[in-house]
Amino acid sequence: MHPSSTSDARIERHPQARFHRVILKISGEGFCPPGGFGVHREELDRVAREIVDVHRLGVQTAVVVGGGNFLRGANFATEIGIDSATADYMGMLGTVINALALQEAVERLGVPTRVQSALMISRVCESFIRRRCIRHLEKGRVVIMAAGTGNPHVTTDSCAALRAAELGADALLKATKVDGVYDSDPRQNAGAKLYESLTFDQVINQRLKVMDVSAIDVCQQHRVPIVVFNLFKTGTMRRVALGERVGTHVGEP
Ligand code: UDP
């Protein structure tokens, strides 16, 4: 039977699993080699394996995908001289492409999924409906959220924060290219210091590059902790879900 048709794929929660329900934020850059464009098989499969490893812990898993491997609205609007809202809608469509590719890759690994889009594309996937999304998660399906918030002038980070709040997620797990949040860019400064934990206020006041300020603000208001970790170190996402002290934890003091 095709995994998508499995009606109930609930998995008993691993005794050490720290979370009941998480939002995973995967940037578009996770789907291609560094500096690359589009979706590449090796990277796609790696992301899918990491997600499935979290799902197999019995943690309800919703994934917000970015689209930076296709285009980022702000840059693209200037580059080709189009309206910034139009460019943002194009960026959102890029996230839909990633979501569909990820759906196939996760289902190849035997896990049922649903794609829910914030823009209506009814021939391709469901629309995001909060209660329906929760139902899928309860049934053990991985939900992949496409098209960000459906509104221009924001990013998929804000989408991840908003979805974490409305879906009652225990945490927002943000996958990045580096090990967590640093006091300066670790790719430019070999002495950059990695923070183990930070408060929301520290992130905002010190303007640390975790996510957009609006995303941090939503997480703070709704008490959703954030864990920033390295997507490119195999098994890290699972370790985060098991509550190990990897990456940077952002939360209340
Ligand atoms: N975008 C948008 N509204 C949203 C989410 C995304 O307008 O709610 C557009 C925006 O142009 C953004 C692009 O989609 O630059 C890709 O998303 P993002 O930059 O967040 O992707 P990532 O950096 O995570 O790959």
Side-chain angles (χ1 to χ4, degrees):
M1 188 165 46
H2 193 267
S4 62
S5 56
T6 313
S7 62
D8 196 327
R10 257 175 283 222
I11 292 177
E12 192 149 329
R13 193 150 149 231
H14 187 288
Q16 259 110 48
R18 172 153 177 224
F19 307 113
H20 171 66
R21 177 178 297 160
V22 293
I23 300 290
L24 297 175
K25 164 66 210 299
I26 312 282
S27 290
E29 61 200 5
F31 295 97
C32 62
F37 180 87
V39 179
H40 293 242
R41 173 82 194 237
E42 198 181 314
E43 285 72 15
L44 174 67
D45 283 343
R46 190 199 46 235
V47 171
R49 279 194 302 272
E50 297 290 303
I51 292 169
V52 165
D53 282 350
V54 172
H55 168 80
R56 293 212 163 114
L57 295 173
V59 176
Q60 293 182 14
T61 308
V63 186
V64 171
V65 289
N69 54 325
F70 288 106
L71 66 93
R72 292 207 170 83
N75 307 340
F76 196 68
T78 329
E79 246 172 65
I80 64 162
I82 57 169
D83 187 271
S84 66
T86 303
D88 280 337
Y89 282 114
M90 293 171 73
M92 287 182 247
L93 294 176
T95 74
V96 177
I97 298 177
N98 286 334
L100 294 178
L102 186 59
Q103 169 164 56
E104 293 287 331
V106 170
E107 292 198 344
R108 276 203 289 261
L109 299 172
V111 173
T113 66
R114 292 293 184 272
V115 173
Q116 290 204 335
S117 169
L119 293 175
M120 255 182 71
I121 324 177
S122 57
R123 296 288 289 272
V124 173
C125 61
E126 294 178 10
S127 291
F128 174 74
I129 298 172
R130 176 177 168 269
R131 292 176 71 108
R132 196 163 182 186
C133 180
I134 291 172
R135 192 76 191 115
H136 288 320
L137 294 171
E138 286 171 349
K139 285 189 168 179
R141 297 170 183 147
V142 169
V143 178
I144 302 167
M145 288 184 275
T149 61
N151 297 302
H153 312 308
V154 282
T155 67
T156 51
D157 279 356
S158 290
C159 170
L162 289 165
R163 298 295 182 241
E166 71 175 307
L167 297 172
D170 308 311
L172 193 174
L173 310 186
K174 177 169 161 76
T176 67
K177 286 183 282 196
V178 292
D179 287 347
V181 184
Y182 291 80
D183 60 354
S184 56
D185 188 344
R187 287 163 301 174
Q188 278 161 31
N189 172 13
K193 177 176 156 263
L194 175 72
Y195 293 105
E196 235 184 65
S197 65
L198 287 163
T199 64
F200 292 115
D201 285 338
Q202 282 173 319
V203 170
I204 293 168
N205 296 337
Q206 296 174 39
R207 294 187 165 76
L208 295 169
K209 290 200 175 67
V210 178
M211 298 198 300
D212 309 335
V213 179
S214 57
I216 302 290
D217 187 51
V218 169
C219 288
Q220 181 170 30
Q221 272 186 51
H222 295 274
R223 297 173 191 280
V224 179
I226 305 166
V227 185
V228 183
F229 66 95
N230 196 327
L231 175 65
F232 297 92
K233 286 194 177 154
T234 307
T236 306
M237 202 185 286
R238 184 176 187 275
R239 291 177 62 201
V240 171
L242 285 170
E244 290 184 33
R245 294 300 292 183
V246 279
T248 303
H249 293 238
V250 181
E252 298 292 345

